């Protein structure tokens, strides 16, 4: 008969310690949350202040950052409006809140499918991650635009300032995302991949301009 080598208890415990040291199963929940928050913040910073390693950073995809940005934008835009009456304002806010979520997530999914059909090499969730994080400049602009809209009112000067900010944020978001997504699409088809990206951020920018009044 063949006798298989047995592992002693000391060797077994040493192996378990090596396996556990390479995982995060035994770390406190607070450490896990802090590490994830640092990752989300770092990716937002790389989008707002682009660097050469932004592509490597966004390849480690997650959807926590895009979900947070979408939630902030939806809450911000749904909290403003010109409806008169409590019932009308509640209905308008609910519609705007749902519209932001639908536009962000369905729009990102459509752009992702389009890039895949054009021969893109990026995975589905990587593309969703990039498009979601690149909403960050528009969210920052939305915060400023809402504050200016409340402070300056509906004057022509207020509209021009907010329009300039929104155009700047839209261009920033488009450049940040297109610079990443178009590189994974074959060169002859990059224009077809860029068009829906521009349309996606233009729609969000238009909503910010309208709702920030």
């Amino acid at each position: 008969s063949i006798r298989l080598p047995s592992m002693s208890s000391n060797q077994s415990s040493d192996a378990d310690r090596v396996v556990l040291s390479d995982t995060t199963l035994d770390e406190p929940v607070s450490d896990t949350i802090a590490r994830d928050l640092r990752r989300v913040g770092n990716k937002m910073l790389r989008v707002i202040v682009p660097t050469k390693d932004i592509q490597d950073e966004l390849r480690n995809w997650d959807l926590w950052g895009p979900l947070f940005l979408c939630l902030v934008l939806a809450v911000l835009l749904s909290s403003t409006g010109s409806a008169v009456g409590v019932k009308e304002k509640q209905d308008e806010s609910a519609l705007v809140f749902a519209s932001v979520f639908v536009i962000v997530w369905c729009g990102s999914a459509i752009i992702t499918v389009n890039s895949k059909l054009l021969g893109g090499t990026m995975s589905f969730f990587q593309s969703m991650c990039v498009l979601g994080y690149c909403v960050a400049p528009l969210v920052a602009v939305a915060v400023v635009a809402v504050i200016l809209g409340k402070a300056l009112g509906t004057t022509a000067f207020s509209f021009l300032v907010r329009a300039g900010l929104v155009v700047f944020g839209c261009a920033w978001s488009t450049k940040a995302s297109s610079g990443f997504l178009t590189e994974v699409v074959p060169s002859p088809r990059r224009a077809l991949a860029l068009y829906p990206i521009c349309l996606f951020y233009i729609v969000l920018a238009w909503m910010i301009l309208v709702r920030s009044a």
Side-chain angles (χ1 to χ4, degrees):
S1 62
I2 300 175
R3 179 174 297 177
L4 296 175
S6 60
M7 181 180 291
S8 65
S9 59
N10 291 334
Q11 291 175 327
S12 178
S13 60
D14 291 341
D16 292 340
R17 281 195 294 270
V18 171
V19 171
L20 289 176
S21 64
D22 293 336
T23 65
T24 59
L25 297 177
D26 59 337
E27 73 175 2
V29 177
S30 59
D31 292 346
T32 304
I33 295 176
R35 186 182 65 254
D36 291 340
L37 289 176
R38 283 194 299 270
R39 285 180 181 174
V40 170
N42 191 32
K43 288 177 182 177
M44 287 186 188
L45 183 63
R46 297 297 173 86
V47 169
I48 295 176
V49 185
T51 57
K52 293 182 179 179
D53 58 343
I54 183 175
Q55 297 184 8
D56 295 332
E57 184 70 28
L58 292 180
R59 279 195 179 93
N60 300 320
W61 63 268
D62 70 82
L63 298 180
W64 289 112
L67 178 61
F68 172 76
L69 291 170
C70 180
L71 183 62
V72 171
L73 185 62
V75 171
L76 191 65
L77 297 185
S78 63
S79 63
T80 61
S82 58
V84 179
V86 177
K87 183 65 169 60
E88 290 79 5
K89 192 167 185 176
Q90 288 178 346
D91 292 341
E92 183 184 39
S93 297
L95 178 61
V96 172
F97 188 92
S99 298
V100 172
F101 263 83
V102 170
I103 291 172
V104 170
W105 293 106
C106 291
S108 299
I110 291 172
I111 293 173
T112 301
V113 172
N114 178 66
S115 65
K116 295 293 287 184
L117 292 176
L118 293 174
T121 57
M122 187 185 300
S123 71
F124 183 85
F125 290 109
Q126 279 180 335
S127 179
M128 294 281 287
C129 171
V130 171
L131 292 168
Y133 271 105
C134 289
V135 177
L138 278 174
V139 174
V141 165
V143 173
V144 178
V146 169
I147 294 174
L148 289 176
K150 292 184 179 297
L152 302 177
T154 56
T155 62
F157 176 73
S158 172
F159 175 79
L160 291 176
V161 173
R162 289 184 290 107
L165 286 172
V166 167
V167 170
F168 175 73
C170 180
W172 198 343
S173 293
T174 302
K175 185 179 184 302
S177 60
S178 61
F180 186 86
L181 292 174
T182 54
E183 287 194 3
V184 297
V185 176
S187 181
R189 302 176 179 176
R190 286 180 181 174
L192 295 175
L194 183 60
Y195 170 73
I197 296 174
C198 295
L199 187 62
F200 172 67
Y201 291 114
I202 287 174
V203 171
L204 290 178
W206 175 80
M207 289 188 67
I208 293 172
L209 180 61
V210 172
R211 295 293 299 179
S212 62

